[in-house]
Amino acid sequence: MLRSPFFYFTFFLILLSCKETTTPSIPKKTVSEEGYNLREKGISNLENKNFNTAFYNFNKSKIAFETTKDSANIVFNLIKMASIQQVNGDYYGSKETLTEALHLLKKKDIYSASINNYFGIADKELSLYNDAIYYYKEALKDCKDEISKQPSLNNIAVVYIHQKKYKEALKVLESILEQKSLDQNPSRKARVLDNLGYAYYKSGNIEKGLSLMIESNQLRKQIDDFYGTIESNLHLAEFYSKTDSKKSTQHAQSAYEIATKFNSVDERLKALSFLISTESGNKNALHAQKYITINDSIINVRNNFKNKFAKIKYDSKKEKDENQKLRLEKVENELSLQEQKYQKVVAGIGVIFLIIVIVILIRYYKNKNRIEKIKTAYDTETRIAKDIHDELANDVFHAMTFTQTQPLTSENTKETLVQKLDNIYSRVRRISQENSTIDITANYAANLKEMLSTYNSNITNVIINNIEKVNWELVDNIKKVTLHRILQELMVNMKKHSKASLVVVKFESNGKTVFIDYTDNGKGCEKDKIIKNGLQNMENRILAIKGTITFDSEPDKGFKVKITLPK
């Protein structure tokens, strides 16, 4: 398929303008090292309970790994951030962080169980117990063996106890206790025993409940699980609160002291609530004052932590966006300088190339016009030669033969000869008109009518209607010439092929468009053969001047043509 020179010019400029403009970036190895260093700092600060600093380190590490698209390390940091938020009572904030981590998991992996477990803890603390159970069960799906399932099952049982579904809790805890693998983890076994005893106590089986809670407390002391003994003492303090206030006070006091040592604020408050209910006098007032002070303090501290966590996230994002903006501005400035130099080169080449293209186009169109003129002249000469050969030469030959074979003295012979010569004259005149210059002046309508009338004969009657009613002065000259040629070709086609005895050419105009209806009663043809019969040229002519032409014909039903010509 041939292409215009403009196509090659445009394509050339596109090639020149295509150059790689990548943004310089920090090597991935350097960014990864920074991410790992920040992660280790976060772990160290978390172990030392420096929660703000740890959260900041994990968040910065996450941002570093986002640059390298290391999703595993991003998720790890998010889980650590969520755990810090939960330790400090920001359960809604932790759920937002966990949701961000969950979206990065393309499929189940090592972090799925941890994320769902933390979701469960958050919902349990927010008293959304059904949601908590849902997430704990999701965590169970990611556990591969019975040992890894034990913590999630224990958590489900604890939620059942909060919901007062003691039968369900007992069933789950008994199933855990039956597992032999539980003996390998005394701390976990003590937790299950304590929860099982507490569930029995709450369900009404007081003796068995007390026995299991005491067994758990003793096991925790044996293995030095001092933090675990806080929960055991709180359960026992509750158990004795209505039957033996002295024992209840002892267990509550033990829980309070151990919780104070481990800085476990929530457990201190629970222990104080039992001490307030079991003691009286000055001690009761002292415990109440401590409770109020600690409770007010923890609310303020946790609110501050929530605000700080949100601010750390916001500041980190803002810093990341600003750094990226600065890098982009620097790169854009560098690219701008390069672009200016490059554009000058392209502009120079473009100007030179454009001049070459213009010269080529001028020569191309000159040659094209010359070839078209030669072709038109050749076609005209061919058509004239054909007309002379097919029509005029035969008539002249018959006239010559007639003069040689008939006596010219006879009046009838002279009259017949004159008639033949008149026919020859008419044919010569028509051939001359077909190939002569078309008059597009005020005489256009008269000349057009005269041209159509030349096709009148003894066989064919040509009727022309309303040609004078069209204001031909408003019609463009090129369109006049085109219409003249189209009608001329229609008449020639009629003369050669249709054998019509009647031809009607009707003209109408609405001020903007000229309508021409051509109808003859000739032999017609099939619609799919109309174009093949030489009428394609007419369609090309009318489309070139934005007009329309439609052909309608059937065998033995004549030939119809509708032409619209915009002025």
Side-chain angles (χ1 to χ4, degrees):
M1 182 171 64
L2 295 175
R3 302 283 190 184
S4 165
F6 281 115
F7 170 81
Y8 294 107
F9 172 62
T10 306
F11 182 70
F12 178 73
L13 290 182
I14 290 172
L15 286 177
L16 288 175
S17 62
C18 290
K19 62 176 182 177
E20 189 176 359
T21 55
T22 55
T23 303
S25 59
I26 302 170
K28 286 189 176 182
K29 184 177 180 181
T30 304
V31 176
S32 296
E33 289 174 355
E34 180 188 4
Y36 283 115
N37 290 335
L38 287 165
R39 194 184 74 171
E40 293 305 313
K41 288 181 181 179
I43 294 172
S44 176
N45 280 299
L46 180 59
E47 290 173 351
N48 294 322
K49 300 187 185 307
N50 297 323
F51 297 119
N52 278 341
T53 307
F55 189 89
Y56 174 82
N57 292 143
F58 286 128
N59 190 56
K60 293 288 285 185
S61 176
K62 174 185 79 81
I63 292 172
F65 285 120
E66 282 175 345
T67 305
T68 60
K69 298 181 180 179
D70 187 343
S71 59
N73 275 302
I74 295 171
V75 171
F76 176 87
N77 283 300
L78 287 168
I79 292 173
K80 289 297 182 183
M81 290 164 67
S83 70
I84 294 171
Q85 288 173 297
Q86 290 192 3
V87 169
N88 291 279
D90 184 11
Y91 297 111
Y92 285 111
S94 74
K95 289 180 72 173
E96 289 180 4
T97 305
L98 291 168
T99 300
E100 186 180 349
L102 196 63
H103 288 160
L104 291 171
L105 294 179
K106 297 179 180 178
K107 58 182 180 179
K108 299 290 186 182
D109 64 9
I110 58 173
Y111 295 120
S112 298
S114 181
I115 290 173
N116 285 308
N117 196 57
Y118 275 116
F119 266 121
I121 293 170
D123 284 334
K124 184 197 76 173
E125 294 300 326
L126 293 170
S127 299
L128 302 172
Y129 297 127
N130 289 332
D131 291 342
I133 289 175
Y134 167 79
Y135 284 113
Y136 285 140
K137 286 183 177 180
E138 286 296 305
L140 274 175
K141 294 177 183 178
D142 300 321
C143 299
K144 304 299 182 183
D145 51 60
E146 65 177 22
I147 295 176
S148 60
K149 291 180 180 180
Q150 290 170 0
S152 295
L153 289 169
N154 180 75
N155 290 337
I156 291 172
V158 171
V159 176
Y160 282 146
I161 293 171
H162 281 290
Q163 292 180 308
K164 297 182 181 180
K165 296 179 180 179
Y166 303 119
K167 288 184 179 179
E168 289 88 340
L170 290 171
K171 184 179 179 180
V172 173
L173 291 167
E174 289 284 8
S175 68
I176 301 173
L177 198 61
E178 291 174 357
Q179 297 175 8
K180 294 181 180 180
S181 60
L182 191 64
D183 294 330
Q184 301 172 12
N185 193 328
S187 176
R188 185 176 294 174
K189 183 177 181 179
R191 187 182 307 118
V192 174
L193 286 170
D194 184 48
N195 288 328
L196 182 61
Y198 187 70
Y200 272 119
Y201 155 62
K202 298 297 285 186
S203 67
N205 194 338
I206 296 174
E207 291 183 3
K208 188 167 185 179
L210 178 60
S211 173
L212 289 169
M213 286 190 288
I214 291 173
E215 182 183 352
S216 171
N217 193 30
Q218 290 174 347
L219 179 59
R220 279 170 163 166
K221 288 178 179 178
Q222 289 175 9
I223 61 175
D224 295 331
D225 182 9
F226 297 110
Y227 188 81
T229 59
I230 298 174
E231 194 69 19
S232 289
N233 280 306
L234 288 173
H235 284 165
L236 289 169
E238 181 181 348
F239 178 87
Y240 288 116
S241 62
K242 295 180 181 179
T243 59
D244 190 336
S245 60
K246 186 176 180 180
K247 284 186 177 181
S248 177
T249 300
Q250 288 175 350
H251 285 294
Q253 186 64 40
S254 295
Y256 178 78
E257 291 173 358
I258 298 170
T260 302
K261 180 179 179 181
F262 283 94
N263 196 28
S264 183
V265 182
D266 290 323
E267 282 73 13
R268 286 176 70 188
L269 290 174
K270 289 180 184 177
L272 283 170
S273 67
F274 287 121
L275 290 172
I276 292 169
S277 64
T278 56
E279 292 190 325
S280 59
N282 292 334
K283 286 186 176 180
N284 182 284
L286 182 63
H287 293 322
Q289 184 60 45
K290 282 183 179 179
Y291 185 94
I292 294 170
T293 303
I294 294 172
N295 190 53
D296 289 344
S297 175
I298 193 173
I299 290 172
N300 291 331
V301 168
R302 286 181 174 175
N303 284 336
N304 287 335
F305 270 118
K306 290 177 186 179
N307 293 332
K308 286 178 181 177
F309 294 151
K311 190 173 186 304
I312 288 170
K313 281 187 173 182
Y314 174 78
D315 289 343
S316 297
K317 185 177 183 303
K318 185 178 179 182
E319 181 184 357
K320 177 184 176 182
D321 292 342
E322 287 178 352
N323 289 338
Q324 187 173 6
K325 184 179 178 182
L326 289 172
R327 285 200 300 269
L328 286 173
E329 286 178 353
K330 183 178 179 181
V331 170
E332 285 175 358
N333 289 334
E334 292 176 357
L335 291 177
S336 178
L337 293 173
Q338 295 177 8
E339 192 69 25
Q340 289 175 9
K341 295 178 182 177
Y342 182 76
Q343 285 176 352
K344 289 179 180 178
V345 174
V346 172
I349 295 173
V351 169
I352 295 171
F353 189 78
L354 184 60
I355 293 171
I356 295 171
V357 169
I358 291 171
V359 172
I360 292 172
L361 284 175
I362 291 171
R363 295 189 63 184
Y364 170 78
Y365 285 111
K366 279 185 176 180
N367 288 335
K368 183 179 178 182
N369 290 334
R370 183 173 61 83
I371 291 169
E372 286 180 352
K373 287 178 181 179
I374 293 170
K375 186 176 183 300
T376 301
Y378 173 77
D379 291 342
T380 301
E381 290 171 359
T382 302
R383 186 174 63 254
I384 293 170
K386 190 174 186 302
D387 288 343
I388 292 172
H389 178 271
D390 292 349
E391 299 180 16
L392 195 59
N394 287 336
D395 289 346
V396 171
F397 176 78
H398 287 307
M400 290 172 62
T401 303
F402 182 81
T403 59
Q404 292 173 356
T405 58
Q406 300 295 326
L408 296 179
T409 57
S410 172
E411 287 298 325
N412 289 336
T413 303
K414 289 181 181 179
E415 191 173 324
T416 302
L417 178 60
V418 170
Q419 184 63 43
K420 288 183 178 291
L421 292 173
D422 186 60
N423 287 339
I424 293 170
Y425 170 75
S426 296
R427 289 181 183 276
V428 172
R429 191 165 179 271
R430 182 169 56 78
I431 292 170
S432 174
Q433 287 178 339
E434 287 177 2
N435 298 282
S436 63
T437 303
I438 297 169
D439 186 355
I440 54 175
T441 62
N443 298 322
Y444 176 77
N447 289 331
L448 180 59
K449 186 174 183 179
E450 184 182 356
M451 181 274 293
L452 295 171
S453 299
T454 58
Y455 291 90
N456 262 315
S457 66
N458 295 331
I459 299 173
T460 306
N461 183 22
V462 179
I463 300 173
I464 304 161
N465 290 332
N466 301 331
I467 191 170
E468 294 85 0
K469 291 184 178 181
V470 178
N471 190 349
W472 294 102
E473 292 183 1
L474 298 178
V475 180
D476 182 76
N477 291 339
I478 294 176
K479 293 176 181 178
K480 290 180 187 178
V481 173
T482 301
L483 178 61
H484 190 285
R485 294 300 185 198
I486 289 172
L487 291 174
Q488 193 174 64
E489 288 184 28
L490 271 175
M491 300 305 290
V492 171
N493 186 71
M494 178 275 298
K495 194 76 173 177
K496 290 181 177 179
H497 302 292
S498 71
K499 296 182 181 178
S501 61
L502 179 64
V503 178
V504 179
V505 184
K506 183 180 178 182
F507 293 84
E508 290 183 3
S509 175
N510 64 0
K512 294 182 179 180
T513 307
V514 179
F515 302 94
I516 301 97
D517 286 342
Y518 169 92
T519 306
D520 70 37
N521 63 350
K523 64 180 183 179
C525 65
E526 294 180 6
K527 289 184 179 180
D528 58 349
K529 295 181 179 180
I530 290 175
I531 301 302
K532 295 180 181 178
N533 285 341
L535 301 179
Q536 181 70 59
N537 192 40
M538 297 183 205
E539 189 171 38
N540 292 338
R541 285 180 186 272
I542 197 70
L543 291 177
I545 58 171
K546 299 182 179 179
T548 62
I549 185 168
T550 56
F551 303 101
D552 187 13
S553 178
E554 291 184 15
D556 301 322
K557 291 187 178 181
F559 191 75
K560 296 180 182 180
V561 181
K562 290 185 179 294
I563 301 170
T564 62
L565 184 71
K567 291 183 178 181

